[in-house]
Amino acid sequence: MAATTTTTTTDVSPKYRAPTDFHPEIPELSVSENPHDGLHFWQFMVAGSIAGSIEHMAMFPVDTLKTRMQAIVGSGSYPVQNVNVRQACKSIMKNEGAAGFYRGIGAMGLGAGPAHAVYFSVYELCKQFFSRGDPNNSVAHAVSGVCATVASDAVFTPMDVVKQRLQLKSSPYKGVVDCVRRVLVEEGIGAFYASYKTTVVMNAPFTAVHFATYEAAKRGLIEVSPDIADDERLVVHATAGAAAGALAAIVTTPLDVVKTQLQCQGVCGCDRFSSSSIGHVIKIIVKKDGYQGLMRGWIPRMLFHAPAAAICWSTYEASKDFFHRLNGNPDN
């Protein structure tokens, strides 16, 4: 392993420092001996796990609103467009109280930490490989994000199924353990991954848009006002993250509706589909609710992902800064 030499460079990204001895023909991915961005693999995992857990816990009530709106069964007498954020919120408060917004948060806690640990560590490794020393390579950021989401979704999807079933109005499950047990007995283990393909198809473009927008917005903010790169680092990450989260959320809402329908099928009056094909589910939704049915819950989804991304990226970068100081390289 070649020794890393230190050079003075102008880095447009406060979180990325390109390896000075990086050879494109022989990519170096050993983060244990030659840490990427000054951190070891396990430190990326811990930082990502902390960021993901805080993000989802903080925004969980908004996620519950989104699930309730997307899982509503439309009919001629109760069209989908009449169910807005205010009505959904009022219904939860009236029938269940504030606790109704947090039903299923245990499943989120079990899934978000490990999934985000995988998400961010895979992203950093892939970014190192695909960028090949160019911190401004938006394509590398997007591809790295796609790789990260494919890996993390395999970890998170089962708990996401449990979470959404518990979030439904009049959910028949007593809790996380009861939901897992009954789904296994009544539907088999395949039910936990019925929406995996849809989740990946949704999250691949979501993550590509998210990471590309995040890196571009962060770079733009620093170029407009270079002084904020050091003085207001977390503000930059939060602003760029919010912009990225909002845009990616709106673009991918139709696929999120399909995912929710698949994960909640057959529960609390939700339709059960003869096929988990994305095209089949879209056809049924459009037939029942029209094309507006594919945009159910887009407002709470955007309201979730904009601040959630800001919280996530700010926490992630703060955790990385802590590890940089712990490793003795506070200038990274």
Side-chain angles (χ1 to χ4, degrees):
M1 184 70 66
T4 304
T5 59
T6 303
T7 60
T8 303
T9 60
T10 301
D11 193 350
V12 297
S13 172
K15 73 188 264 295
Y16 185 95
R17 188 172 299 279
T20 56
D21 62 342
F22 187 82
H23 301 288
E25 69 277 13
I26 308 177
E28 294 290 349
L29 294 176
S30 178
V31 293
S32 59
E33 298 180 13
N34 184 24
H36 162 59
D37 202 16
L39 298 180
H40 297 283
F41 182 79
W42 69 268
Q43 291 173 326
F44 284 123
M45 295 190 73
V46 172
S49 180
I50 294 172
S53 297
I54 293 177
E55 165 202 358
H56 284 285
M57 296 297 185
M59 300 305 301
F60 194 82
V62 183
D63 184 64
T64 298
L65 280 175
K66 182 207 67 139
T67 298
R68 291 289 180 93
M69 291 176 69
Q70 290 182 341
I72 290 174
V73 180
S75 67
S77 61
Y78 191 57
V80 135
Q81 58 264 32
N82 286 344
V83 183
N84 55 38
V85 176
R86 182 179 178 181
Q87 289 172 323
C89 185
K90 184 178 179 180
S91 174
I92 294 174
M93 285 298 297
K94 180 180 179 180
N95 298 318
E96 303 164 65
F101 288 101
Y102 291 93
R103 184 169 170 80
I105 197 170
M108 176 64 77
L110 291 173
H116 278 74
V118 172
Y119 186 89
F120 280 104
S121 55
V122 170
Y123 172 68
E124 294 288 355
L125 287 174
C126 290
K127 187 173 74 170
Q128 179 190 7
F129 178 80
F130 290 117
S131 65
R132 298 189 179 277
D134 178 11
N136 301 324
N137 190 336
S138 295
V139 175
H141 298 150
V143 173
S144 299
V146 172
C147 293
T149 199
V150 170
S152 65
D153 283 343
V155 177
F156 185 66
T157 296
M159 280 297 102
D160 193 38
V161 171
V162 175
K163 172 192 73 72
Q164 289 205 305
R165 292 193 176 202
L166 289 172
Q167 286 176 317
L168 294 174
K169 181 180 180 180
S170 303
S171 174
Y173 307 107
K174 298 177 181 178
V176 174
V177 175
D178 180 57
C179 183
V180 171
R181 180 183 61 80
R182 288 180 58 181
V183 171
L184 282 173
V185 172
E186 297 169 9
E187 303 173 54
I189 194 170
F192 289 111
Y193 284 95
S195 66
Y196 178 66
K197 181 173 66 175
T198 304
T199 302
V200 170
V201 171
M202 174 188 73
N203 282 340
F206 176 93
T207 311
V209 172
H210 183 109
F211 276 108
T213 303
Y214 170 75
E215 298 286 355
K218 184 178 64 176
R219 187 166 62 251
L221 288 169
I222 294 172
E223 288 175 352
V224 170
S225 182
D227 293 338
I228 68 174
D230 294 319
D231 297 337
E232 301 180 35
R233 179 177 296 188
L234 291 182
V235 174
V236 173
H237 294 309
T239 304
L247 179 61
I250 294 174
V251 170
T252 57
T253 292
L255 288 171
D256 189 54
V257 173
V258 173
K259 184 205 74 168
T260 299
Q261 290 283 327
L262 285 172
Q263 292 187 165
C264 298
Q265 60 180 315
V267 182
C268 298
C270 294
D271 292 335
R272 180 170 291 282
F273 302 97
S274 59
S275 169
S276 60
S277 163
I278 296 174
H280 173 73
V281 178
I282 288 177
K283 183 178 179 180
I284 298 298
I285 293 173
V286 171
K287 183 179 179 179
K288 291 193 67 172
D289 305 326
Y291 286 102
Q292 72 269 21
L294 295 173
M295 292 303 292
R296 291 184 194 175
W298 74 268
I299 293 178
R301 179 167 164 78
M302 183 186 67
L303 293 177
F304 174 91
H305 281 286
I311 293 169
C312 186
W313 279 109
S314 299
T315 306
Y316 180 61
E317 295 297 340
S319 299
K320 285 179 62 178
D321 285 343
F322 169 78
F323 285 124
H324 281 308
R325 291 192 294 272
L326 188 66
N327 294 348
N329 50 339
D331 294 332
N332 279 70

